């Protein structure tokens, strides 16, 4: 038996960040992970490998479509799928080994295996029992299932299987028009597949700004993706290596079917807490199976905390990281805090989509007076130079104070551009503060300044 100040269960973004931060603050820390490599879903079968494939297929698109426009002539590249997967796996290995190095550097003990919590203050890993003053559950999430759809990770796959298909599909059906479905659908569309997205609601990316969603759908359609909205999937079956998906249109209850070589089930994720023994411990769960916590991430059982996808809030790696930092600081006697009003969300397609804070829809629902500052990337010289002038930046501000309430971007590097707005919001800045900040020319970030200017007297280049 080993004694620790803190045992973190799960080495995903929330868990490993929590463990490292706690170690930095002087705690004796262990982290339990059953996978062969650290990093959780994100680094192994999620964020990182999907970005590798998005990057590879973006360059493929550029070579096939835009190189000739720039005078770069030659034979168009062919896809070596095995080599692309090898590149993806190498990216995963570099990142997961990096976390292992950070554990050694910060003297975090990796307890290899799957954990259970027999009692408060105790964590069992395999046959070994360990004691800890504090336990943090950071076990993440898993793909949500759908009645009538049985996943085999070969023909009917989750995001995990979609990252390692044996061969490229000619036709793919994506069930779910959220972030994961659209990112992976984009990858295979660039690789030549006919991709059809089936979404239950009448719009894509629920929760995002409505104008962004419409623009995003239009751009993806131009890229070759098809969409069936307002459709409830009834089931999917595999016969002779092919899949058939049946669905009903909500507007008239008519039933239809579509065939594909591969079906990606991307209807969201659910907390993964299997095997921990939470029910026997008396840990309170929500109706959705999330662990209930207070403002300090404490569960209903003293000494046990929880963070990340296992608790309420957006299932985002960086949200889990922030919570990991916060709970580590709380346990070390500091005042850990997360500002949930300033957590950005990004979709890594081309163009990228990024958002933070309020949307026009939420502000209208709240009856709050606001102003909109908007600027199209068509007015940005750098964006036009890279064939990405279709998107825009939208900033929402309080009508009286000019304080930034939210922002929504679709365009080049949107996932990076959003962070200057996040910093401004964190410090309670007004749109005028952004507008009066000098931005280098020519950069994509000038579109952010122009949108801020549009909140006042007007943009210069519009």
């Amino acid at each position: 038996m080993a004694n620790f100040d803190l045992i973190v269960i799960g080495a995903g973004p929330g868990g490993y960040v929590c463990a490292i931060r706690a170690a930095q603050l002087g705690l004796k820390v262990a982290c339990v992970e059953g996978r062969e490599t650290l990093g959780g879903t994100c680094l192994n079968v999620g964020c990182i490998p999907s970005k590798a494939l998005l990057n590879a297929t973006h360059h493929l698109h550029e070579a096939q479509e835009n190189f000739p426009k720039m005078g770069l002539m030659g034979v168009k590249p062919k896809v070596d799928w095995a080599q692309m997967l090898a590149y993806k796996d190498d990216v995963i290995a570099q990142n997961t080994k990096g976390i292992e190095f950070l554990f050694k550097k910060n003297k975090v003990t990796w307890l290899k295996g799957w954990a259970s919590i027999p009692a408060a203050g105790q964590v069992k890993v395999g046959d070994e029992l360990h004691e800890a003053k504090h336990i943090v559950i950071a076990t993440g999430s898993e793909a949500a299932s759908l009645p009538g759809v049985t996943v085999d990770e070969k023909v009917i796959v989750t995001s995990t299987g979609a990252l390692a298909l044996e061969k490229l599909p000619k036709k793919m059906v994506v069930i779910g028009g959220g972030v994961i479905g659209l990112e992976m659908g984009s990858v295979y569309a660039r690789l030549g597949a006919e991709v059809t997205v089936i979404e239950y609601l009448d719009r894509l990316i629920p929760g995002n700004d409505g104008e962004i969603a419409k623009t995003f759908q239009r751009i993806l359609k131009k890229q070759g993706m098809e969409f069936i909205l307002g459709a409830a999937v009834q089931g999917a079956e595999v016969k002779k290596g092919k899949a058939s998906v049946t669905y009903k249109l909500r507007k008239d209850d008519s039933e239809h079917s579509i065939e594909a070589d591969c079906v990606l089930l991307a209807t969201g994720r659910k907390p993964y807490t299997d095997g921990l023994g939470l029910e026997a411990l008396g840990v309170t769960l929500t109706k959705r199976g999330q662990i209930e916590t207070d403002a300090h991430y404490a569960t209903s059982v003293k000494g046990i905390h929880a963070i990340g996808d296992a608790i309420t809030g957006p299932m985002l790696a960086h949200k889990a990281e922030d919570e990991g930092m916060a709970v580590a600081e709380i346990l070390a006697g500091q005042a850990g805090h997360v500002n949930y009003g300033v957590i950005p969300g990004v979709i890594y397609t081309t163009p990228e989509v990024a958002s933070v804070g309020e949307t026009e829809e939420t502000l209208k629902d709240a009856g709050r007076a606001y102003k909109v500052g908007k600027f199209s990337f068509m007015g940005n010289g750098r964006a036009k130079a890279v064939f990405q002038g279709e998107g825009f930046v939208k900033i929402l501000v309080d009508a009286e104070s000019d304080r930034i309430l939210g922002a929504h971007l679709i365009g080049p590097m949107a996932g990076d551009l959003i962070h200057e707005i996040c910093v401004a919001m964190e410090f309670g800045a007004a749109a005028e503060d952004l507008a009066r900040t000098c931005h280098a020319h020519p950069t994509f970030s000038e579109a952010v300044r122009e949108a801020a200017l549009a909140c006042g007297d007007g943009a210069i280049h519009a």
Side-chain angles (χ1 to χ4, degrees), residues 261-286:
D261 301 301
C262 178
V263 175
L264 167 59
L265 180 62
T267 50
R269 298 182 66 81
K270 61 181 181 180
Y272 178 76
T273 57
D274 294 357
L276 292 177
L278 299 185
E279 189 175 334
L281 280 169
V283 173
T284 304
L285 303 179
T286 69

Side-chain angles (χ1 to χ4, degrees), residues 61 186 189-190 218-225 349-351:
H61 171 82
S186 173
R190 293 176 197 162
R218 175 176 54 79
I219 292 172
L220 291 178
K221 189 171 177 61
K222 285 176 65 176
Q223 294 177 3
M225 294 175 67
T349 47
T350 301

Side-chain angles (χ1 to χ4, degrees), residues 394-410:
K394 178 196 283 190
I395 297 177
L396 308 174
V397 301
D398 183 87
E400 292 186 12
S401 68
D402 194 42
R403 187 169 182 165
I404 302 169
L405 304 175
H408 307 278
L409 294 72
I410 178 167

Side-chain angles (χ1 to χ4, degrees), residues 341-342 356-358 363 368 371 394-398 401-408 420-426 428-435 448 452 455:
V342 188
V356 66
E358 304 287 350
L363 290 172
R368 186 164 185 176
K371 294 188 296 182
K394 178 196 283 190
I395 297 177
L396 308 174
V397 301
D398 183 87
S401 68
D402 194 42
R403 187 169 182 165
I404 302 169
L405 304 175
H408 307 278
E420 106 168 76
I421 303 172
C422 291
V423 172
M425 290 175 67
E426 190 67 39
E432 186 178 356
D433 295 316
L434 277 184
V448 174
C455 292

Side-chain angles (χ1 to χ4, degrees), residues 306-323:
I307 60 170
D309 287 4
I311 69 172
T312 58
M315 289 184 169
L316 298 169
H318 44 284
K319 176 257 197 187
E321 288 181 339
D322 265 24
E323 290 174 341

